[in-house]
């Protein structure tokens, strides 16, 4: 790419922190990927001794040394052992020893809230994962916040100027976290007809707020506190005790103890907005811990997401007590 | 006659300084080896108790201990914040930069280079084990350096002074 083309380039916000975590040679390749593809980049896949790949606009591509992309692996740039070693040093700020918890979880968070998934050899200690070594695969996931993603859902979460206890059901990759994050921002900042309230986010997988060294890298609102990388059940209790939130937001409840903590916070008079993996209400009822939550009729609203009209479609909103649908048709 | 006496003085002073310079090499090496051990112990503490990131830990240690060992850590820490090369490259470049400034010998540099190759490449336990190993090696070198200092420090100092006097007498 010529120098003058780079000058003309619009500012792509994710680029800086992602490029800084890559060695010079791969940085140069990524910078040369055609702008139309690069702007919508979702993942950069790095696997030792195999071609450099990217995932953009729902398709994956092989990347050549000159940044051109195609679907044939023959001309693709092959990742070397040196590359993976350098990437590990760069993403960990030369301090892989300081990321033991992250290695156990299989991912690190970069500045900007982007996540790097890692895979290698797991070292066990008495049957549980102690750490990971020989890390050979990286999945750099570019996270983008969509301000306004919650605009459609918000009116259904408020009744009589009060926030409703809400459960969001969605299959993976349907924009559940993006919507939760935008809900946090909106109810924390406030909007016409709604005064901002104190929000506590328990962010077990650092996805909602994308914290880097404890600092949210996403706009989660002015009245929001974040407990980063904290187990949900323990985190919800900590939040209630220490930060006096009006609303607790947490992602992907998946265990009975999470349910207990949520019921506990409801008793403490705190509103809860949370999400779970399920494709619809019927599907949710097949999961024991969700069934328990649904049967206790604690939620005022149950929202279901899908991709029937594109990612982030609000498929249906149910009234929480009697499970009556509130939407005539899906909206996006 | 006056000129001759002046010449003799100059010779004695020059030769004494030369002797002192040679002797200082031995003294400095001991000091540098012990300062490096202090720096590495500090790094061990940073790893073990604070889980600090390497660049900031190095800059902090460099600033607080000062001297040539401090400078090495400071330079390396600063270059790491630029994120442009690998850890072992940065460490080796910093060692090369410091070479004219210190009295370390090749065997000492070798220990430091080996240390740089392993730094930041393993989990906390591995890093701490490796720092301890390096500390032990540096300590061994320090013991040897002390013995050498005992032997040669006084010798070079006396040799400088006495050699100067001898030369002056011969030339008188």
């Amino acid at each position: 790419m010529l120098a003058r083309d780079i000058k003309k380039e619009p500012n792509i916000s994710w680029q800086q922190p992602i490029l800084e975590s890559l060695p010079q040679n791969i940085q140069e390749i990524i910078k040369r990927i055609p702008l139309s593809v690069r702007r919508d980049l979702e993942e950069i896949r790095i696997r030792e001794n195999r071609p450099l790949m990217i995932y953009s606009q729902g398709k994956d591509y092989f990347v050549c040394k000159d940044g051109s992309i195609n679907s044939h692996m023959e001309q693709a740039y092959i990742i070397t052992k040196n590359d993976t070693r350098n990437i590990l040093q760069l993403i960990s700020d030369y301090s892989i020893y300081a990321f033991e918890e992250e290695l156990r979880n299989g991912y690190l968070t970069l500045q900007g809230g982007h996540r790097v998934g890692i895979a290698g050899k797991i070292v066990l200690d008495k049957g549980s994962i102690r750490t990971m070594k020989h890390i050979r695969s990286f999945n750099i996931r570019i996270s983008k916040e969509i301000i306004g993603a919650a605009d459609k859902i918000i009116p259904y979460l408020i009744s009589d100027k009060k926030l409703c206890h809400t459960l969001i059901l969605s299959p993976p990759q349907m924009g559940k976290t993006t919507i939760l994050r935008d809900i946090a921002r909106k109810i924390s900042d406030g909007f016409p007809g709604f005064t901002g309230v104190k929000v506590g986010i328990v962010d077990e997988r650092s996805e909602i707020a994308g914290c880097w060294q404890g600092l949210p890298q996403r706009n989660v609102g002015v009245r929001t506190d974040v407990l980063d990388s904290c187990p949900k059940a323990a985190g919800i209790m900590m939040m209630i005790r220490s930060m006096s939130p009006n609303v607790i937001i947490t992602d992907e409840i998946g265990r009975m103890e999470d349910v207990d903590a949520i019921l506990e916070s409801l008793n403490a008079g705190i509103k809860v907005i949370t999400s779970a993996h399920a494709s619809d209400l019927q599907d949710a009822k097949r999961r024991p811990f969700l069934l328990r939550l649904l049967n206790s009729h604690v939620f005022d609203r149950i929202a279901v997401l899908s991709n029937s009209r594109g990612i982030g479609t609000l498929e249906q909103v149910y009234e929480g007590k009697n499970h009556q649908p509130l939407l005539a048709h899906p909206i996006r | 006659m006056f000129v001759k006496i002046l010449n003799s003085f100059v010779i004695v002073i020059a030769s004494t300084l030369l002797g002192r310079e040679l002797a200082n090499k031995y003294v400095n090496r001991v000091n540098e080896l012990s300062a490096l051990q202090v720096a590495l112990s500090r790094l061990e503490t940073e790893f073990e108790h604070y889980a600090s990131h390497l660049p900031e830990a190095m800059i902090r240690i460099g600033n607080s201990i000062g001297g040539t060992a401090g400078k090495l850590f400071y330079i390396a820490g600063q270059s790491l914040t630029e994120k442009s090369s690998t850890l072992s490259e940065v460490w080796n470049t910093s060692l090369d930069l410091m070479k004219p400034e210190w009295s370390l010998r090749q065997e000492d540099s070798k220990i430091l280079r080996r240390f740089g190759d392993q730094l930041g490449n393993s989990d906390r336990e591995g890093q701490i084990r490796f720092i301890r190993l390096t500390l032990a090696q540096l300590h061994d070198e320090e013991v040897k350096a002390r013995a050498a200092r005992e032997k040669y420090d006084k010798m070079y100092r006396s040799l400088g002074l006495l050699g100067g006097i001898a030369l002056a007498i011969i030339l008188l």
Side-chain angles (χ1 to χ4, degrees), chain A residues 62-77:
Chain A
F62 296 102
V63 186
C64 303
K65 209 164 181 177
D66 59 1
S68 59
I69 51 169
N70 57 38
S71 46
H72 309 290
M73 65 174 85
E74 285 75 27
Q75 294 123 25
Y77 175 76

Side-chain angles (χ1 to χ4, degrees), chain A residues 10-285:
Chain A
N11 183 28
I12 303 177
S13 62
W14 57 261
Q15 239 180 213
Q16 197 57 27
I18 298 278
L19 288 180
E20 273 179 9
S21 67
L22 294 169
Q24 291 287 338
N25 55 336
I26 299 179
Q27 268 189 36
E28 290 308 315
I29 296 175
I30 299 290
K31 276 190 210 162
R32 291 196 181 105
I33 293 174
L35 186 62
S36 54
V37 175
R38 185 154 39 102
R39 196 167 19 207
D40 298 324
L41 209 57
E42 286 164 49
E43 287 181 354
I44 302 173
R45 310 292 309 219
I46 288 165
R47 303 175 178 100
E48 196 171 308
N49 295 336
R50 275 160 292 169
L52 172 64
M53 292 181 77
I54 55 166
Y55 191 79
S56 172
Q57 296 154 339
K59 274 191 284 184
D60 64 356
Y61 301 95
F62 296 102
V63 186
C64 303
K65 209 164 181 177
D66 59 1
S68 59
I69 51 169
N70 57 38
S71 46
H72 309 290
M73 65 174 85
E74 285 75 27
Q75 294 123 25
Y77 175 76
I78 304 293
I79 302 289
T80 65
K81 188 177 177 190
N82 249 343
D83 290 333
T84 50
R85 208 182 118 153
N86 291 351
I87 291 169
L88 189 60
Q89 289 193 351
L90 289 167
I91 58 172
S92 67
D93 196 17
Y94 303 101
S95 317
I96 199 68
Y97 56 84
F99 289 89
E100 294 187 332
E101 191 58 41
E102 285 86 346
L103 289 183
R104 268 198 288 275
N105 290 331
Y107 64 85
L108 287 92
T109 306
L110 297 178
Q111 193 170 6
H114 310 287
R115 278 173 53 168
V116 183
I118 48 178
K121 182 176 164 56
I122 295 296
V123 182
L124 289 178
D125 184 21
K126 293 185 193 111
S128 60
I129 294 172
R130 191 167 74 90
T131 186
M132 195 192 297
K133 60 180 184 181
H134 305 312
I135 296 163
R136 311 288 189 201
S137 282
F138 300 86
N139 172 18
I140 303 175
R141 286 174 63 181
I142 293 149
S143 90
K144 292 172 192 136
E145 67 181 334
I146 303 172
I147 301 280
D151 287 354
K152 294 285 186 292
I153 196 174
I154 278 279
Y156 297 96
L157 306 190
I158 291 164
S159 107
D160 292 339
K161 294 205 166 184
K162 278 192 185 148
L163 208 62
C164 303
H165 295 300
T166 305
L167 173 66
I168 298 175
L169 299 175
S170 154
Q173 301 268 299
M174 295 297 158
K176 182 168 24 80
T177 308
T178 312
I179 286 182
L180 265 182
R181 180 188 305 132
D182 206 46
I183 292 175
R185 181 186 65 85
K186 280 193 96 104
I187 60 177
S188 167
D189 286 350
F191 50 90
F194 185 83
T195 321
V197 292
K198 286 178 283 180
V199 175
I201 297 180
V202 182
D203 202 358
E204 184 162 2
R205 300 182 309 144
S206 306
E207 279 196 318
I208 307 179
C211 282
W212 179 77
Q213 299 190 352
L215 200 66
Q217 303 286 302
R218 300 272 163 257
N219 185 352
V220 286
V222 288
R223 295 180 185 83
T224 302
D225 305 298
V226 183
L227 269 179
D228 186 37
S229 316
C230 184
K232 277 179 283 278
I236 290 172
M237 301 319 284
M238 271 172 83
M239 261 300 174
I240 296 173
R241 265 183 248 126
S242 57
M243 304 309 284
S244 69
N246 301 112
V247 184
I248 283 188
I249 292 186
T250 179
D251 205 0
E252 287 180 24
I253 47 168
R255 280 181 303 235
M256 213 44 118
E257 61 197 79
D258 301 340
V259 174
D260 290 335
I262 283 171
L263 293 175
E264 182 68 34
S265 56
L266 294 174
N267 292 332
I270 292 164
K271 300 286 178 189
V272 173
I273 299 177
T274 185
S275 69
H277 276 303
S279 53
D280 56 40
L281 202 53
Q282 296 315 314
D283 188 27
K285 283 178 180 166

